[in-house]
């Protein structure tokens, strides 16, 4: 639930009523309100986090902290394999993941499948520094259902798939289910990698347990969980599930394709603000309670 309180210009984002928590941002100005075929879309100017994109009452990104999410969900997988060439992004209509993928000079083809064209258009209008990824000539936008798109992809097409989904409700629910992960695995080459948004260890361990269990059944290479801090997300953290298919081994914890050592992308995309090789490895260090649950799924 997302409540705009007009008398004092505060907006309050309730993650879920049953969780009994809320996060508030002061609203300076509403910039856009619309309803697409799939969800309600709001953009507002906040007093502390810059412009904010909200979908169906849930904050998707803010100008101030989007780098932590976009850079990590992209470079954790792509820096773990040598010379990725073909990359698919599912979701990610704001273009931030595209911006980060396009930093990798080895990449020759970037497909993105986003179900909601309004998210793409609004992001280009209000978040140009995020949506700059769409300007890369290697990018092809497919507007449609990511599940259906993956089913039509020839086997072994991609080196990496990045699933930038919202929470597992509404149009994103299928992106957390076992048949979807099976389609991802089929679309990847041997030793290919996937990174998907995987919720918060503080709030959603039951969801994470299911994701880990499904991935361990489907992906016969590496299966790891990582996390990062994003202040405007529920509990201030968000996780990522990283998996590889059977084939050349992948050690996600040790980057072998360091993007932070290459500055050729800085002129067009700006400098990295969050990701580096040290934080890459550190992202896989989990608190004991989460590590114990995730490791139990390996038995």
């Amino acid at each position: 639930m997302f409540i705009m309180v007009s008398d004092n210009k505060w907006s309050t984002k309730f993650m879920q009523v049953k969780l009994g928590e809320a996060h508030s941002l002061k609203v300076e100005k509403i910039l856009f309100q619309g309803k697409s075929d799939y969800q309600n879309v709001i953009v507002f100017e906040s007093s502390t986090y810059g412009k904010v994109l909200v979908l169906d009452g849930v904050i998707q990104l803010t100008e101030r902290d989007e780098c932590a999410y976009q850079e990590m969900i992209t470079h954790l997988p792509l820096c773990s394999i040598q010379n990725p060439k073909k990359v698919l992004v599912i979701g990610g209509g704001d273009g931030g993941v595209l911006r980060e993928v396009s930093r990798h000079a080895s990449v020759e083809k970037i497909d993105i499948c986003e179900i909601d064209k309004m998210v793409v258009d609004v992001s280009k209008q209000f978040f140009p520094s995020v949506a700059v990824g769409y300007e890369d000539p290697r990018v092809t936008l497919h507007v449609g259902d990511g599940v259906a798109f993956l089913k039509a992809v020839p086997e072994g097409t991609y080196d990496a798939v990045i699933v930038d989904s919202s929470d597992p409700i509404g149009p994103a629910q299928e992106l957390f289910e076992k048949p979807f992960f099976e389609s991802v695995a089929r679309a990847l080459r041997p030793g290919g990698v996937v990174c998907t948004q995987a919720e918060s260890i503080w709030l959603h361990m039951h969801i994470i347990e299911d994701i880990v269990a499904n991935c361990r059944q489907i992906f016969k290479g590496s299966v790891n969980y990582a996390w990062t801090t994003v202040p405007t997300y529920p509990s201030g953290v968000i996780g990522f599930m990283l998996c590889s298919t059977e084939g050349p081994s992948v050690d996600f914890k040790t980057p072998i394709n360091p993007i932070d050592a290459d500055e050729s992308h800085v002129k067009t995309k700006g400098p990295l603000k969050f990701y580096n090789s040290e934080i890459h490895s550190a992202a896989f260090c989990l608190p004991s309670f989460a590590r114990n649950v995730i490791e139990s799924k390996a038995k």
Side-chain angles (χ1 to χ4, degrees), residues 1-257:
M1 182 183 298
F2 187 81
I3 301 175
M4 291 288 186
V5 184
S6 58
D7 57 346
N8 62 6
K9 288 191 175 181
W10 280 75
S11 69
T12 302
K13 187 200 88 171
F14 291 91
M15 299 175 295
Q16 293 182 50
V17 173
K18 66 181 180 181
L19 295 177
E21 297 186 22
H23 181 218
S24 302
L25 291 178
K26 186 177 181 182
V27 177
E28 297 295 342
K29 184 179 181 181
I30 303 294
L31 302 174
F32 178 86
Q33 284 183 288
K35 183 173 177 59
S36 72
D37 293 336
Y38 302 97
Q39 55 203 339
N40 292 301
V41 181
I42 296 174
V43 179
F44 68 86
E45 183 76 42
S46 71
S47 60
T48 51
Y49 281 86
K51 291 194 287 290
V52 180
L53 175 65
V54 180
L55 302 180
D56 271 350
V58 178
I59 291 175
Q60 300 301 305
L61 68 83
T62 78
E63 288 181 309
R64 183 176 180 181
D65 66 7
E66 56 88 13
C67 59
Y69 178 81
Q70 317 275 23
E71 293 181 17
M72 292 294 276
I73 197 173
T74 304
H75 303 309
L76 287 176
L78 294 188
C79 291
S80 297
I81 57 175
Q82 291 283 13
N83 300 317
K85 296 184 182 300
K86 295 182 180 179
V87 179
L88 170 64
V89 180
I90 300 290
D94 54 71
V97 171
L98 297 178
R99 179 191 66 201
E100 297 307 315
V101 173
S102 64
R103 293 183 189 274
H104 290 262
S106 66
V107 173
E108 300 171 353
K109 179 179 177 59
I110 310 170
D111 287 326
I112 176 171
C113 187
E114 164 62 45
I115 197 169
D116 196 338
K117 183 63 160 51
M118 182 179 286
V119 173
V120 176
D121 294 339
V122 166
S123 298
K124 288 180 177 180
Q125 180 178 355
F126 294 102
F127 300 92
S129 66
V130 178
V132 65
Y134 284 107
E135 298 175 7
D136 193 289
R138 295 169 291 178
V139 171
T140 302
L141 171 62
H142 308 266
V143 177
D145 176 39
V147 175
F149 182 87
L150 263 178
K151 288 179 179 178
V153 167
E155 184 174 351
T157 297
Y158 295 104
D159 299 291
V161 174
I162 300 171
V163 186
D164 179 12
S165 65
S166 52
D167 293 330
I169 54 175
Q173 184 169 350
E174 285 186 282
L175 304 184
F176 288 79
E177 296 173 350
K178 189 174 180 179
F180 176 74
F181 288 120
E182 291 172 338
S183 295
V184 171
R186 190 186 64 82
L188 287 170
R189 63 158 173 85
V193 296
V194 59
C195 183
T196 182
Q197 187 272 109
E199 299 299 317
S200 164
I201 57 174
W202 292 111
L203 301 174
H204 307 115
M205 280 309 302
H206 59 293
I207 297 175
I208 294 169
E209 282 187 81
D210 291 342
I211 295 173
V212 172
N214 286 335
C215 288
R216 289 201 186 279
Q217 291 180 37
I218 295 164
F219 294 95
K220 303 307 180 183
S222 302
V223 176
N224 292 99
Y225 187 88
W227 62 316
T228 191
T229 62
V230 184
T232 52
Y233 283 178
S235 79
V237 304
I238 195 72
F240 310 104
M241 200 74 221
L242 290 112
C243 309
S244 65
T245 56
E246 188 173 13
S249 63
V250 177
D251 178 7
F252 285 112
K253 299 178 183 179
T254 306
I256 60 173
N257 182 29

